[in-house]
Amino acid sequence: MQLDPNYAVSDIDTLERLYGAPAAASVKKEVAYVHPQYRKFIEAAPFVLLATSGSEGMDLSPRGDSAGFVRIHDENTLLLPDRRGNNRVDSLRNILHDPRVALLFVIPGIGETLRVVGKASIHLDPDLLTTFCVDGKPPRSVLVIKVEAVFFQCSRAVLRSSLWDHSMHVARDDLPSPGKILAEVSDGAIDGLKYDADLPERLKSTMY
């Protein structure tokens, strides 16, 4: 199918005519701080998506740990520990360029998600890092996020996707393994079979 550029929306007036005004509840639900009701979502979430923007473009990165791992320092400040990963530090590079961030908190089994917008800075205070230790291991850094907007997202997307419906879950073997992907995209430079064989122990030993 050929996409016709004449049908691309390129101005706000056209967009607003197409979608109309947002419902009152969609506007009223947004606040500029962590409301006590929104606090409950953050404290229950074991998974969050972190969106950043840098000189080389956008990035969206997953973050996960025990429920409530994103700490509420006060109603205007969140603390997000940066655990071990692949050391690409895409998100952190972006934050040094542009402190604006967006977070999407996801709670297993719950349809609603929570969206947070703010500005982040990277902190290395040893005393702060120590408070986030797991198994005696501190994070590499902690993101201090100054909150500018918080609101919940309704459950339509989760319901349409059947995200929490176990009968719709995909078997892992139905998709290519990390090793297979790496072997093919690297034109064989990475030994995919060895990568897959080593992966379970590597994940276990480098979790924190």
Side-chain angles (χ1 to χ4, degrees):
M1 177 181 177
Q2 190 72 25
L3 297 178
D4 188 339
N6 293 316
Y7 286 95
V9 175
S10 58
D11 62 273
I12 295 295
D13 288 341
T14 300
L15 186 66
E16 292 182 344
R17 285 197 303 272
L18 176 65
Y19 283 91
S26 296
V27 176
K28 291 291 186 181
K29 67 184 178 182
E30 179 179 336
V31 294
Y33 63 99
V34 181
H35 188 281
Q37 297 299 329
Y38 288 154
R39 169 185 284 267
K40 297 175 183 179
F41 278 78
I42 295 173
E43 291 175 340
F47 187 80
V48 65
L49 295 168
L50 170 67
T52 58
S53 177
S55 59
E56 297 182 4
M58 304 288 294
D59 184 66
L60 183 65
S61 178
R63 297 288 190 272
D65 215 321
S66 299
F69 74 100
V70 177
R71 185 180 301 166
I72 302 168
H73 181 69
D74 56 47
E75 66 178 14
N76 301 116
T77 313
L78 300 179
L79 303 177
L80 170 56
D82 195 67
R83 302 292 183 188
R84 293 186 65 168
N86 55 24
N87 294 333
R88 286 178 56 104
V89 295
D90 297 309
S91 299
L92 303 185
R93 291 178 192 276
N94 285 351
I95 287 168
L96 290 176
H97 176 80
D98 183 343
R100 294 177 299 170
V101 298
L103 304 170
L104 180 69
F105 289 87
V106 181
I107 305 169
I110 302 299
E112 291 78 19
T113 53
L114 189 74
R115 295 166 62 177
V116 176
V117 177
K119 289 186 174 68
S121 54
I122 305 167
H123 285 246
L124 304 177
D125 181 343
D127 292 335
L128 176 61
L129 298 182
T130 297
T131 67
F132 284 97
C133 278
V134 175
D135 295 335
K137 299 175 182 176
R140 296 284 182 85
S141 63
V142 171
L143 294 183
V144 176
I145 300 167
K146 293 300 181 181
V147 172
E148 297 180 345
V150 187
F151 55 100
F152 76 90
Q153 182 76 28
C154 79
S155 60
R156 288 190 189 92
V158 170
L159 293 173
R160 283 192 292 254
S161 68
S162 299
L163 183 63
W164 306 126
D165 182 349
H166 290 279
S167 69
M168 300 295 289
H169 288 185
V170 177
R172 185 63 189 87
D173 290 344
D174 290 346
L175 295 173
S177 69
K180 182 175 177 59
I181 295 170
L182 286 166
E184 293 202 11
V185 301
S186 70
D187 292 326
I190 294 177
D191 184 337
L193 292 176
K194 185 177 188 311
Y195 187 93
D196 282 339
D198 294 344
L199 183 58
E201 180 59 33
R202 183 165 61 251
L203 289 175
K204 180 181 177 181
S205 64
T206 62
M207 190 63 67
Y208 291 99

